[in-house]
Amino acid sequence: MLRRQVHPLRVMPPDRAAGDAASWPADSPEVVVSATTENFFAELERRGGERLLRKTVGTIRFDLEHEGRTDHWLVTVANGEIRVSREEREADTVIRTDLAFFERMARGEAKPLSAWLRNDITSEGKFRFIVLLERLFPAPPGARHPRTLSRVDRGPA
């Protein structure tokens, strides 16, 4: 993954010299990045081997629109391993949405499959990766696994 100098909402491209964000030239090709989005993709890559994705191989590109721009995030899944980059290249599935709605999904406030059915996100390519998104995004805040709930109902074993 490319290294960038990070400012709270701006990322300096790797080909620029290091320095304070305030000293960047006005014509600098900076990329706007929210902390929620950056954290989501960083955590996704840190997960390591995902048991539920062991038999999955493919790429998903997220095109996140905001302020007349489009940010691209490429997620590569190869037998459970997840890699993330900022490449704008062909992918098995391309997901398009606005940045604000993507951040709701990244916080678990909206589910990808439901969002796709409501047309809050659109896609091109292989449908199976739309279903895969449910495994990549967090559960809603306060959600618990059904097995945990059934153990609580029955009391101690």
Side-chain angles (χ1 to χ4, degrees):
M1 191 166 164
L2 299 173
R3 296 278 178 208
R4 295 177 220 96
Q5 181 170 356
V6 179
H7 180 269
L9 293 176
R10 299 187 305 181
V11 176
M12 182 58 108
D15 59 337
R16 291 288 189 178
D20 186 330
S23 67
W24 295 350
D27 64 345
S28 168
E30 63 194 36
V31 180
V32 176
V33 177
S34 77
T36 302
T37 301
E38 187 78 28
N39 291 339
F40 170 78
F41 285 112
E43 179 60 32
L44 195 61
E45 194 168 42
R46 274 193 298 269
R47 282 182 181 175
E50 286 278 326
R51 184 180 64 80
L52 295 173
L53 301 176
R54 266 188 264 172
K55 296 181 181 179
T56 303
V57 176
T59 54
I60 305 168
R61 190 182 78 215
F62 292 90
D63 291 350
L64 307 179
E65 300 166 350
H66 62 95
E67 300 175 7
R69 294 179 158 168
T70 302
D71 290 341
H72 306 282
W73 294 85
L74 184 70
V75 176
T76 304
V77 180
N79 301 316
E81 294 296 321
I82 300 172
R83 298 284 173 243
V84 178
S85 70
R86 297 297 305 266
E87 293 179 66
E88 180 185 356
R89 67 175 179 89
E90 293 295 315
D92 295 315
T93 301
V94 177
I95 306 294
R96 286 186 185 82
T97 189
D98 63 74
L99 182 61
F101 188 80
F102 179 84
E103 289 180 349
R104 287 187 56 215
M105 289 192 309
R107 290 188 300 263
E109 297 168 2
K111 299 300 288 171
L113 192 54
S114 301
W116 182 77
L117 291 170
R118 287 189 314 270
N119 214 25
D120 288 330
I121 64 174
T122 60
S123 68
E124 287 179 18
K126 297 181 180 179
F127 176 75
R128 68 187 180 107
F129 289 109
I130 301 295
V131 176
L132 172 77
L133 293 179
E134 293 291 320
R135 296 180 180 168
L136 299 179
F137 284 87
R144 293 184 282 174
H145 194 281
R147 289 183 185 150
T148 306
L149 290 175
S150 65
R151 280 188 220 122
V152 170
D153 292 343
R154 285 186 277 168

